[in-house]
Amino acid sequence: MPRPLGELEDAVMSRVWEWNRPVTVREVLEDLRRERSIAYTTVMTVLDNLHQKGWVRREQEGRAYRYEAISTRAAYSAALMNDAWSESDNPAAALVAFFGMMSAGQTEALRDALRVVDVSGVPGSDAPAPEDEGEGTQR
């Protein structure tokens, strides 16, 4: 599991994920400068670090590089959630607490996700619970 991204790493990766195409240091720099004062070399260093950490791949184009995300923000978020959950000494209680923090929209997104994923025995999923299997058949 990767460690969480730092503030500047996240700001850079947010753009790479949002644009969903290979980007240059200059493009990221210009967009970041709308929010903060930042040097070209700082953005270049952050993208190089993200490359070294395996978050982006890069391809040389002339004297510059174009950087592209290796994974999606959704996959990153899922990995963070999985890591936090797996470190709990009581995973069931952690899930109950997490579900209790969810907004109505997040709860609906969870229900939608459970319909997509085959999770046997989970209420809200389309997969039949083990006790429902074979219903209506004689034993």
Side-chain angles (χ1 to χ4, degrees):
M1 164 60 205
R3 72 169 181 66
L5 296 171
E7 180 189 349
L8 189 52
E9 290 174 327
D10 187 66
V12 170
M13 281 305 300
S14 290
R15 282 148 179 88
V16 175
W17 281 320
E18 182 183 335
W19 297 339
N20 196 29
R21 61 174 173 75
V23 300
T24 64
V25 171
R26 177 75 52 205
E27 289 174 308
V28 175
L29 171 72
E30 289 172 4
D31 200 60
L32 283 170
R33 281 190 171 162
R34 295 177 191 183
E35 300 169 1
R36 64 178 86 189
S37 176
I38 191 165
Y40 180 93
T41 54
T42 301
V43 177
M44 184 176 65
T45 299
V46 169
L47 279 164
D48 185 60
N49 289 343
L50 290 166
H51 175 256
Q52 297 300 321
K53 293 176 180 181
W55 286 105
V56 294
R57 69 176 62 90
R58 68 183 180 193
E59 211 170 291
Q60 194 156 7
E61 185 176 283
R63 292 179 37 200
Y65 285 107
R66 285 203 172 267
Y67 295 86
E68 185 174 16
I70 290 176
S71 188
T72 64
R73 181 178 277 290
Y76 167 69
S77 297
L80 289 178
M81 289 187 292
N82 185 60
D83 189 51
W85 182 54
S86 65
E87 289 182 14
S88 173
D89 60 347
N90 188 339
L95 281 175
V96 169
F98 178 66
F99 294 155
M101 295 176 193
M102 295 173 95
S103 68
Q106 291 169 323
T107 301
E108 188 58 33
L110 175 61
R111 285 191 181 104
D112 291 343
L114 288 172
R115 285 185 200 101
V116 172
V117 178
D118 181 18
V119 184
S120 298
V122 175
S125 75
D126 288 339
E131 62 272 7
D132 293 340
E133 290 178 355
E135 192 173 288
T137 60
Q138 294 184 349
R139 297 179 195 219

PDB file of all heavy atoms in Angstrom, residues 71-80:
ATOM      1  N   SER A  71      -2.310   4.908 -12.364  1.00  0.00           N
ATOM      2  CA  SER A  71      -3.541   4.402 -11.783  1.00  0.00           C
ATOM      3  C   SER A  71      -4.544   5.541 -11.669  1.00  0.00           C
ATOM      4  O   SER A  71      -4.209   6.705 -11.888  1.00  0.00           O
ATOM      5  CB  SER A  71      -3.231   3.821 -10.400  1.00  0.00           C
ATOM      6  OG  SER A  71      -4.347   3.151  -9.877  1.00  0.00           O
ATOM      7  N   THR A  72      -5.763   5.233 -11.299  1.00  0.00           N
ATOM      8  CA  THR A  72      -6.814   6.240 -11.167  1.00  0.00           C
ATOM      9  C   THR A  72      -6.914   6.756  -9.736  1.00  0.00           C
ATOM     10  O   THR A  72      -6.431   6.115  -8.799  1.00  0.00           O
ATOM     11  CB  THR A  72      -8.181   5.648 -11.543  1.00  0.00           C
ATOM     12  OG1 THR A  72      -8.507   4.618 -10.604  1.00  0.00           O
ATOM     13  CG2 THR A  72      -8.182   5.104 -12.963  1.00  0.00           C
ATOM     14  N   ARG A  73      -7.567   7.889  -9.572  1.00  0.00           N
ATOM     15  CA  ARG A  73      -7.815   8.403  -8.223  1.00  0.00           C
ATOM     16  C   ARG A  73      -8.700   7.428  -7.456  1.00  0.00           C
ATOM     17  O   ARG A  73      -8.522   7.229  -6.260  1.00  0.00           O
ATOM     18  CB  ARG A  73      -8.465   9.782  -8.238  1.00  0.00           C
ATOM     19  CG  ARG A  73      -8.681  10.269  -6.786  1.00  0.00           C
ATOM     20  CD  ARG A  73      -9.263  11.635  -6.647  1.00  0.00           C
ATOM     21  NE  ARG A  73      -8.398  12.754  -6.724  1.00  0.00           N
ATOM     22  CZ  ARG A  73      -7.493  13.108  -5.800  1.00  0.00           C
ATOM     23  NH1 ARG A  73      -7.267  12.362  -4.759  1.00  0.00           N
ATOM     24  NH2 ARG A  73      -6.801  14.211  -5.941  1.00  0.00           N
ATOM     25  N   ALA A  74      -9.651   6.799  -8.129  1.00  0.00           N
ATOM     26  CA  ALA A  74     -10.531   5.838  -7.464  1.00  0.00           C
ATOM     27  C   ALA A  74      -9.716   4.670  -6.901  1.00  0.00           C
ATOM     28  O   ALA A  74      -9.948   4.232  -5.771  1.00  0.00           O
ATOM     29  CB  ALA A  74     -11.596   5.336  -8.436  1.00  0.00           C
ATOM     30  N   ALA A  75      -8.761   4.174  -7.670  1.00  0.00           N
ATOM     31  CA  ALA A  75      -7.917   3.077  -7.189  1.00  0.00           C
ATOM     32  C   ALA A  75      -7.062   3.528  -6.008  1.00  0.00           C
ATOM     33  O   ALA A  75      -6.861   2.777  -5.045  1.00  0.00           O
ATOM     34  CB  ALA A  75      -7.036   2.546  -8.314  1.00  0.00           C
ATOM     35  N   TYR A  76      -6.558   4.751  -6.057  1.00  0.00           N
ATOM     36  CA  TYR A  76      -5.778   5.311  -4.950  1.00  0.00           C
ATOM     37  C   TYR A  76      -6.635   5.410  -3.693  1.00  0.00           C
ATOM     38  O   TYR A  76      -6.237   4.975  -2.619  1.00  0.00           O
ATOM     39  CB  TYR A  76      -5.230   6.686  -5.358  1.00  0.00           C
ATOM     40  CG  TYR A  76      -4.679   7.511  -4.216  1.00  0.00           C
ATOM     41  CD1 TYR A  76      -3.510   7.143  -3.569  1.00  0.00           C
ATOM     42  CD2 TYR A  76      -5.334   8.658  -3.789  1.00  0.00           C
ATOM     43  CE1 TYR A  76      -2.996   7.913  -2.522  1.00  0.00           C
ATOM     44  CE2 TYR A  76      -4.826   9.426  -2.754  1.00  0.00           C
ATOM     45  CZ  TYR A  76      -3.662   9.047  -2.120  1.00  0.00           C
ATOM     46  OH  TYR A  76      -3.175   9.802  -1.089  1.00  0.00           O
ATOM     47  N   SER A  77      -7.850   5.957  -3.828  1.00  0.00           N
ATOM     48  CA  SER A  77      -8.753   6.085  -2.685  1.00  0.00           C
ATOM     49  C   SER A  77      -9.103   4.716  -2.110  1.00  0.00           C
ATOM     50  O   SER A  77      -9.133   4.539  -0.888  1.00  0.00           O
ATOM     51  CB  SER A  77     -10.030   6.821  -3.099  1.00  0.00           C
ATOM     52  OG  SER A  77      -9.730   8.129  -3.506  1.00  0.00           O
ATOM     53  N   ALA A  78      -9.372   3.770  -2.987  1.00  0.00           N
ATOM     54  CA  ALA A  78      -9.710   2.418  -2.526  1.00  0.00           C
ATOM     55  C   ALA A  78      -8.552   1.797  -1.758  1.00  0.00           C
ATOM     56  O   ALA A  78      -8.753   1.146  -0.724  1.00  0.00           O
ATOM     57  CB  ALA A  78     -10.090   1.545  -3.718  1.00  0.00           C
ATOM     58  N   ALA A  79      -7.337   1.987  -2.238  1.00  0.00           N
ATOM     59  CA  ALA A  79      -6.166   1.438  -1.548  1.00  0.00           C
ATOM     60  C   ALA A  79      -5.992   2.069  -0.170  1.00  0.00           C
ATOM     61  O   ALA A  79      -5.665   1.385   0.799  1.00  0.00           O
ATOM     62  CB  ALA A  79      -4.910   1.640  -2.398  1.00  0.00           C
ATOM     63  N   LEU A  80      -6.235   3.380  -0.064  1.00  0.00           N
ATOM     64  CA  LEU A  80      -6.148   4.046   1.239  1.00  0.00           C
ATOM     65  C   LEU A  80      -7.202   3.509   2.200  1.00  0.00           C
ATOM     66  O   LEU A  80      -6.918   3.245   3.374  1.00  0.00           O
ATOM     67  CB  LEU A  80      -6.308   5.564   1.091  1.00  0.00           C
ATOM     68  CG  LEU A  80      -5.173   6.330   0.444  1.00  0.00           C
ATOM     69  CD1 LEU A  80      -5.544   7.810   0.337  1.00  0.00           C
ATOM     70  CD2 LEU A  80      -3.875   6.160   1.210  1.00  0.00           C
TER      71      LEU A  80
END
